[in-house]
Amino acid sequence: MAKRWYVIHTYSGYENKVKTDLEHRIETYGIGDKVVDIQIPTEEVTEVKDGGKRETKEAKVFPGYVLVRMEVDDNTWAVVRNTPGVTGFVGLDGKPTPLRRDEFDKIMRRGGVRTSTAAPTPKRTSTNIEPGMSVRVLSGPLADFDGQVSEVNAEAGKVKVMLMIFGRETPVELTLDQISVIS
């Protein structure tokens, strides 16, 4: 059976603890040949502190989620599912759904070069954005995801976009310069 990437949901803020605990459980139960990798998607974020001092730190791209590359069977499912801090697998009807390779690449920012014929060309705009418009995320951890605008806050320069993440429609707040309208 092939090893695929699955997404597990954890308590927010417990991602690193879940990863550590899961690594210990894999070793204890001797299933290292079936559960081969655990990843927490992160990105570097620069914050401007008081006095203009810049501080760069790693931030989780999807708080509350951990990626696990594994072969799913009753034993591996039980070991992962019963790890403290794990609330379940992302999937339909309680059944874990594996990520497609392109989804994994986007999440881990390992996607290949985009070709202009692969998708509609985004048209950059900062005005005239309305709810219901289709947009593409241009920058940040969710770059290359497409979604639909659900709310616009022109005064603050922000929009709420519904993106399909881990098979669920998820609201994400973005600035106007992070998106472009798909024509």
Side-chain angles (χ1 to χ4, degrees):
M1 187 179 237
K3 291 162 190 68
R4 308 269 310 265
W5 284 101
Y6 294 88
V7 181
I8 55 175
H9 190 261
T10 69
Y11 295 122
S12 190
Y14 283 76
E15 302 87 358
N16 292 332
K17 178 146 180 46
V18 165
K19 180 179 179 181
T20 303
D21 289 350
L22 190 52
E23 289 169 342
H24 290 297
R25 289 173 61 88
I26 290 165
E27 189 176 324
T28 301
Y29 286 93
I31 57 171
D33 59 325
K34 293 184 178 186
V35 182
V36 294
D37 199 2
I38 304 165
Q39 294 288 326
I40 302 170
T42 59
E43 68 170 337
E44 283 196 5
V45 177
T46 302
E47 293 180 353
V48 179
K49 299 288 185 182
D50 292 334
K53 183 179 175 188
R54 293 181 180 266
E55 183 179 297
T56 302
K57 65 177 187 175
E58 286 224 338
K60 292 172 183 65
V61 177
F62 301 110
Y65 294 97
V66 175
L67 306 179
V68 180
R69 185 166 180 235
M70 62 186 281
E71 182 180 311
V72 174
D73 60 27
D74 290 343
N75 188 34
T76 58
W77 182 86
V79 170
V80 173
R81 176 68 185 88
N82 294 318
T83 299
V86 172
T87 60
F89 280 87
V90 173
L92 299 172
D93 300 323
K95 183 181 177 198
T97 303
L99 290 174
R100 294 187 320 264
R101 175 46 97 185
D102 64 317
E103 290 174 318
F104 175 77
D105 289 343
K106 278 185 185 179
I107 291 166
M108 298 306 291
R109 305 295 300 138
R110 294 183 184 154
V113 176
R114 292 188 70 89
T115 59
S116 58
T117 58
T121 305
K123 181 173 61 182
R124 192 174 190 99
T125 180
S126 60
T127 58
N128 302 331
I129 293 180
E130 299 173 3
M133 292 180 124
S134 293
V135 295
R136 172 162 297 127
V137 180
L138 299 173
S139 62
L142 301 171
D144 297 331
F145 277 81
D146 296 337
Q148 193 170 51
V149 176
S150 64
E151 292 177 29
V152 178
N153 184 344
E155 297 82 39
K158 295 189 176 197
V159 292
K160 189 173 282 185
V161 179
M162 300 302 286
L163 300 176
M164 286 297 283
I165 301 174
F166 305 137
R168 296 183 193 175
E169 207 169 52
T170 306
V172 177
E173 189 174 82
L174 301 165
T175 59
L176 291 172
D177 65 341
Q178 286 183 287
I179 62 167
S180 66
V181 175
I182 299 174
S183 51

